[in-house]
Amino acid sequence: MDDQNKNLILATALSFLVILVWFVLFPPPEQTPTTDQTTISATDGNEVQTPSASGTSTVGEATAATDEVQPEAEAPRVTIDTPRLTGSLSLSGGRIDELSLKDYKVSLAADSPIVELLSPVGTESAYYALYGWAPGAGLAGADVPGPNTLWTLDQGETLGVDSPVTLAWNNGKGLIFRRTISVDEDYMFTVTQSVENTTDGEVGMAPYGILARHGIGEDGDLPGLKNFFILHEGVIGMADGTLAEVDYGDVRDFDIDPNERAQAEVYQVKEDGWIGFTDHYWMTTLIPEPGSAFKAAAKYDARRKIYQTETVLPTLTVAPGETAEVTTRLFAGAKEWEAIREYQSQGVQKFIDSIDWGWFFFLTKPIFWLLHNINALIGNMGWSIIGLTLIIKAILFPLAFKSYVSMAKMKELQPQMEALKEAAGDDRQKMQQGMMELYKKEKVNPAAGCLPILMQIPIFFSLYKVIFVTIELRQAPWFGPFRDLSAPDPTSIMNFFGWLPWAGPQPDTFLALIFIGILPLLLGISMWLQQKLNPAPTDPTQAMIFAWMPWVFMFMLGSFASGLVVYWIANNTITFTQQYLIMRSQGYKPDVFGNIKSGFKRTPKTDDK
């Protein structure tokens, strides 16, 4: 077997094996901010705790029973209607608890409903945001609005772009609370909480925000999760520049924090940060104002199976006759790159990292940026992936040129290499020394053939990550039956690639691995043709492995996202063209048809001299 064929097999097999073992046995470590396990304190030094979505709250020595969040079917609701959002908020607790995304459907079916992000308490998987005040010294829980407090609509009618609403509640003891909520044209809510003190004494309280998700099942699993090892789903937060990612399973394993009286992990943020929940394509995030110190916490109520993230700002002291207010933001929507990048430019620190770029972020970020801009010009993600492939191949062309030139020279050295083997006989050391001298004399690098393949491995994985995690690829069409490039090829041999009037097998079934679509088939053919630029290895075992490799990869990648298979086909096609032309320019004429013909023989040709 000649050296470049050996290098090709070894580089391909070992690279994929290393990546598989790496990501299965050594998953990325969670990045957790270094924090003091303390709580924000009131001005008098007493501890401040927020009410949970399910239990009680304490402030210093005073305790105030806070009922668990209750469904309020009869409570008035305020409609939310923007170009991209629809839903409502409940005047019970002033909870933002019903929200759907107008631009996204659950599936490609014509009658598919739009994606529902938030849902009220009492539904199968309740998910909502609530705000309030934790009482300071001298105040009881009943003196501040809680999760079930019935607010009144003070100003506005429908919450929309440029039409905020204001809620009000009077505790009957001289404190008047107001909450003004506005929303922009995308997914960002702004919540301004204020308290007016008409009493004769000074009061203190800490403003908070909570996101709560109710799990289902015995172990608190949430519905609709992908649970795939390359995707983070769970708590996500940023604390002074440090990203924290905690999977839902790890949240359930939190130790009991005595200060929080729950399974919790607490982060102390000095200046900038945010915290919330992220799914595959959707996210909710609590965002205090930049430059604000606050306590961030992630919690789990094992009894009621409720996940919770919260932000608590330092206690505000309100003198008699004064009004204090604090403004925070709530992101609730799709993780669109452009929208998130714009919010980052508005001061949300490293918000773009809420998208799961992975270990190869130094590749996934520029690859996505390039793909996104190509798509902005072309308007079709399938052709944009092919355009991206052309650009990547152009960038790597100098390396590929040197590699293919070296491979062509090695072809020319085949007679001399065979003579060295015959002269050395069984003396492998003598043969290796002779070959090294030959390589040095002719200025040939036998490992050069591996370099383009090795460069493709991180690029391939990075593009796989981009296609899998970014919402811009979700349900992105190409042409004909290819209506979602983030999903596997929908065509199948079973229905003759869509010509017969029945559907192919479901993507996650065993039949789908066998009855593959047209794209995996083209992938196998492109790899097979690329091999035929060189004669088959002389060793029968190695020749058999080499012959089967394209078809093994064809079935391996058959269940991958069709956008990734499109990239691989385009990459193979361009590589074949580059290698053929470069080898011709160096005086070596690849006998593609002759190599194809010899490949159909029962035994490999061992000597054609």
Side-chain angles (χ1 to χ4, degrees), residues 93-104:
R95 304 191 294 261
I96 302 174
D97 61 358
E98 188 177 54
L99 198 65
S100 297
L101 312 181
K102 291 182 178 180
D103 295 337
Y104 297 97

Side-chain angles (χ1 to χ4, degrees), residues 6 43 51 64 89 119 185 193 205 207 273-274 286 408 419 432 464 491 504 510 517 543 597:
K6 185 185 296 182
T43 54
L89 62 87
S119 54
E185 64 276 6
Q193 299 186 85
M205 62 195 76
W274 41 269
L286 299 166
Q432 290 294 333
Y464 176 49
T491 66
F510 176 74
K597 184 178 178 180

Side-chain angles (χ1 to χ4, degrees), residues 40-48 59 136-137 315:
I40 292 177
S41 298
T43 54
D44 61 358
N46 290 333
E47 177 187 317
V48 174
V59 181
T315 298

Side-chain angles (χ1 to χ4, degrees), residues 8 521-535 546-547 549-551 569 572-573 575-577 579-580 583 590-593 595-597 600:
L8 183 64
L521 186 60
L522 291 175
L523 170 66
I525 293 172
S526 66
M527 291 187 70
W528 176 72
L529 285 174
Q530 191 177 342
Q531 284 185 354
K532 296 308 174 182
L533 286 169
N534 301 300
F546 207 54
M549 189 175 295
W551 316 120
I569 294 170
N572 288 346
T573 304
T575 299
F576 175 90
T577 305
Q579 188 174 351
Y580 182 85
M583 293 176 80
D591 186 10
V592 178
F593 293 105
N595 293 335
I596 291 174
K597 184 178 178 180
F600 286 101

